[in-house]
Amino acid sequence: FSNLVFQYYFYIEAEDKPGVMASITSLMASKEVGIESIVQKEELGDSCVPIILITDPFKESDHAELQIELLNLDSVRAIRSIRIEAK
């Protein structure tokens, strides 16, 4: 199962400050995970914004590591993700 390839939907709560989107996209690029779409919504309060990101397909085995590394970014407060399975 870990070698299967899926797209993922990420809901990221991050601080609303310059460079946050760059740090997220740079990390994704360093892991060779492409981004199909990315949207930053309006502030949630407490200087926090939701970022909705859909990836290009990548290996299931890389998902957990990527999620941990995203959470380790100083500006990221929380992450939820959902696997998108092909029809």
Side-chain angles (χ1 to χ4, degrees), residues 8-17 19-25 28 35 37-44 47-54 70 73 75-81:
Y8 287 87
Y9 168 97
F10 283 92
Y11 177 88
I12 302 170
E13 291 181 13
E15 294 177 16
D16 189 14
K17 63 182 186 182
V20 171
M21 198 71 79
S23 66
I24 291 169
T25 57
M28 300 287 255
I35 297 170
S37 66
I38 188 167
V39 177
Q40 180 177 322
K41 298 289 189 176
E42 291 190 31
E43 190 173 300
L44 294 169
S47 297
C48 188
V49 293
I51 298 168
I52 311 300
L53 188 145
I54 298 176
L70 284 166
L73 294 174
S75 56
V76 174
R77 296 183 183 174
I79 295 177
R80 287 177 287 232
S81 67

Side-chain angles (χ1 to χ4, degrees), residues 3 7 26 40 61 82:
N3 286 325
Q7 285 184 286
S26 293
Q40 180 177 322
S61 60
I82 300 171

Side-chain angles (χ1 to χ4, degrees), residues 61-74:
S61 60
D62 297 331
H63 172 256
E65 181 182 334
L66 175 63
Q67 192 162 333
I68 289 167
E69 290 191 33
L70 284 166
L71 272 171
N72 285 334
L73 294 174
D74 290 336

